[in-house]
Amino acid sequence: MNFWLGNRHVKIVAASAMVLMLGACSTLNRDSITATGEITDQGQECVTFRANDGTLYALANKASGFRPGDRVRVTGHSALMTTCREASTLIVDKITLLVPAKTGQ
């Protein structure tokens, strides 16, 4: 039996395999993270959050209504790809305001 795939077919199969592998990676790397801390002003592109353990996170979504100094609890998962460059990025599943930032005197 003579079986031959043209160059075009090989590229399609390789691209399809890559998509499947990336999809598998994103579902495997979805460990949930919950942390308490404070919204900071260290972000340029994304809202940033410093957890009580000192870790700085960039928050990829659902955090635009918060301001520096707000104490929050964040639950999310690590982003595999992001435009946030400030720190490790969390895709926020839930964010809860615990204590609002103090206003200026």
Side-chain angles (χ1 to χ4, degrees):
M1 186 158 108
N2 188 5
F3 183 77
W4 180 81
L5 288 176
N7 194 28
R8 179 180 169 102
H9 292 104
V10 171
K11 288 179 182 176
I12 291 171
V13 170
S16 298
M18 183 64 81
V19 167
L20 289 172
M21 288 188 312
L22 287 174
C25 288
S26 66
T27 58
L28 293 174
N29 193 18
R30 294 197 43 118
D31 290 337
S32 184
I33 298 168
T34 299
T36 301
E38 188 172 297
I39 300 293
T40 72
D41 61 357
Q42 295 174 277
Q44 300 265 326
E45 297 173 11
C46 298
V47 174
T48 52
F49 162 78
R50 181 147 326 261
N52 288 343
D53 69 1
T55 304
L56 182 67
Y57 295 100
L59 305 178
N61 60 344
K62 298 184 183 178
S64 60
F66 296 91
R67 61 185 184 180
D70 285 346
R71 299 249 337 130
V72 295
R73 180 179 306 111
V74 177
T75 300
H77 56 276
S78 297
L80 294 177
M81 296 176 65
T82 181
T83 58
C84 302
R85 297 183 189 151
E86 294 86 356
S88 297
T89 302
L90 289 180
I91 304 297
V92 177
D93 296 319
K94 182 177 180 181
I95 184 168
T96 304
L97 178 64
L98 301 175
V99 179
K102 295 180 183 178
T103 57
Q105 303 284 333

